[in-house]
Amino acid sequence: CIHLFYSNMRGMMTFNIDDGYLDGILRGFRAGLLTNADYANLTQCENLEDMKLHLAGTSYGDFLADETGQLLTATIAEKCTQKLVKEFKHMRVNSVAPLSTFLEYITYGYMIDNIMLLVTGAIHERDTTELLTKCHPLGFFEAMPSLCAGTTSVSELYKSVIVDTPLAPYFRNCLSKEDLSEMRGSAELEKVRNTLYKAYLEDFYRYCTKELGGVTGEVMGGLLEWEADRRAMTITLNSMGTELSLDDREKLYPNFGKLYPETTYALAKLDKVDRGSMEGQSDMDPVKDLMIYHEEYANLFAGVQDDRGGVSTGGKTLEDMFFEYEVKICKFAFEQHFQYGAFYAYVKLKEQEIRNIVWIAECIAQNERDKINDFVPIFGF
């Protein structure tokens, strides 16, 4: 406690020297998130051009001014993402260590997704040049175009390109040469993705809680523990009844979080529900039962629509409940000062805002107005 007190005091006294400007910029960005009134107005728009006009009066400004032809939902999504990337890059280029290192860590998750997208495309002989346009800009690195040079195995890509990226230690420490050579099917590639993400989350958690410590370690510890737990639950649900062995499934769970180690051990032993012997149960029920000792997570499962005709809460899926919970804890990250967790939280909140905008745009474009309010508001109605 005494160590934490002095660590927090040092943060309060020295934080603004290097990071005060960017913290102010960040909180300005956060104030520009769409309000409840903005969402109410967007849901009343008749077409995408009306959305464009309304968004021009928010922090998005004239981000669609150059789009003179027919406006598409994909265009809105792309331009919204570009705005987030522009804001993030502004903070990153003006940062100094250790904040600069922290911001780099945020991009590693996007790098993993981009690499796996291109590798999957190369193995299935798809036009990887086209896939480059679908990669997330925050995960772009200089050697990425080399991934489109016709290489068709993860092992070759590692030796020629990935070895020079920040992800190289995750590949080197988690995957053997034999593993890399055998990864060709979709199931094997997904296993590689989850293995890399496990290593990334554990490294990021170590950096935040051990190297940075203080308030940043406290705030980011909670945020990353949620991400680790979410992945453990998702991997379990998605792998039931598949070829993934129970032992291999357990190896994909991050070794930290509120569920680790007792509940993750139990999750690893769950198998697909036998419909004959357990009539009326879904694959989600065994996972739900294990959340009895984790009240917040149990509430998430309780809020999911019962697909067997039971009581529902607005037709929400488990993914919806996960997004809502993530928004809740990310908003809490802004209540503490002199820490870096707010930078991570802002990216997550902005991504949810983009999902909301795209959802509303899709409902308008497809004339599905009965579903237009099924998004996750940043600030509750």
Side-chain angles (χ1 to χ4, degrees), residues 90-246:
H90 174 77
M91 293 187 291
R92 187 167 61 179
V93 299
N94 285 284
S95 63
V96 296
L99 177 57
S100 58
T101 304
F102 178 85
L103 295 178
E104 287 294 328
Y105 264 103
I106 293 177
T107 67
Y108 293 172
Y110 301 100
M111 285 187 188
I112 292 172
D113 289 337
N114 287 351
I115 287 176
M116 297 312 300
L117 173 65
L118 295 175
V119 167
T120 303
I123 289 176
H124 292 90
E125 299 182 350
R126 294 183 59 187
D127 182 1
T128 48
T129 303
E130 180 184 346
L131 289 177
L132 266 179
T133 63
K134 299 181 180 180
C135 290
H136 199 290
L138 285 181
F140 197 89
F141 53 92
E142 291 183 4
M144 259 182 59
S146 301
L147 291 169
C148 303
T151 307
T152 58
S153 77
V154 183
S155 181
E156 292 176 16
L157 287 170
Y158 173 77
K159 289 185 288 186
S160 62
V161 179
I162 300 173
V163 69
D164 295 322
T165 72
L167 303 182
Y170 306 149
F171 276 87
R172 185 168 57 248
N173 297 335
C174 303
L175 300 164
S176 65
K177 291 182 179 180
E178 291 75 17
D179 291 332
L180 294 175
S181 300
E182 295 172 0
M183 299 304 173
R184 288 187 171 273
S186 58
E188 290 86 356
L189 288 168
E190 191 61 27
K191 183 179 175 182
V192 170
R193 181 201 302 275
N194 286 318
T195 301
L196 292 174
Y197 225 97
K198 163 187 162 71
Y200 157 62
L201 286 176
E202 290 173 354
D203 187 31
F204 197 7
Y205 185 78
R206 175 202 57 78
Y207 176 72
C208 292
T209 58
K210 302 298 183 182
E211 292 193 32
L212 294 179
V215 184
T216 295
E218 177 186 344
V219 173
M220 280 303 299
L223 292 172
L224 291 176
E225 284 171 3
W226 156 247
E227 180 63 19
D229 292 342
R230 183 189 67 81
R231 293 190 71 83
M233 291 184 279
T234 302
I235 288 170
T236 303
L237 291 168
N238 290 343
S239 63
M240 284 183 174
T242 67
E243 297 178 357
L244 184 69
S245 70
L246 301 184

Side-chain angles (χ1 to χ4, degrees), residues 267-307:
L267 285 172
K269 306 307 175 187
L270 294 180
D271 207 350
K272 191 174 181 66
V273 170
D274 185 345
R275 302 296 182 186
S277 61
M278 303 183 71
E279 186 177 352
Q281 280 215 336
S282 71
D283 291 335
M284 191 183 298
D285 288 330
V287 179
K288 178 180 178 180
D289 292 341
L290 289 177
M291 298 302 124
I292 188 172
Y293 301 111
H294 307 278
E295 183 179 359
E296 289 186 315
Y297 297 166
N299 291 338
L300 300 182
F301 281 87
V304 177
Q305 179 183 19
D306 190 333
D307 59 5

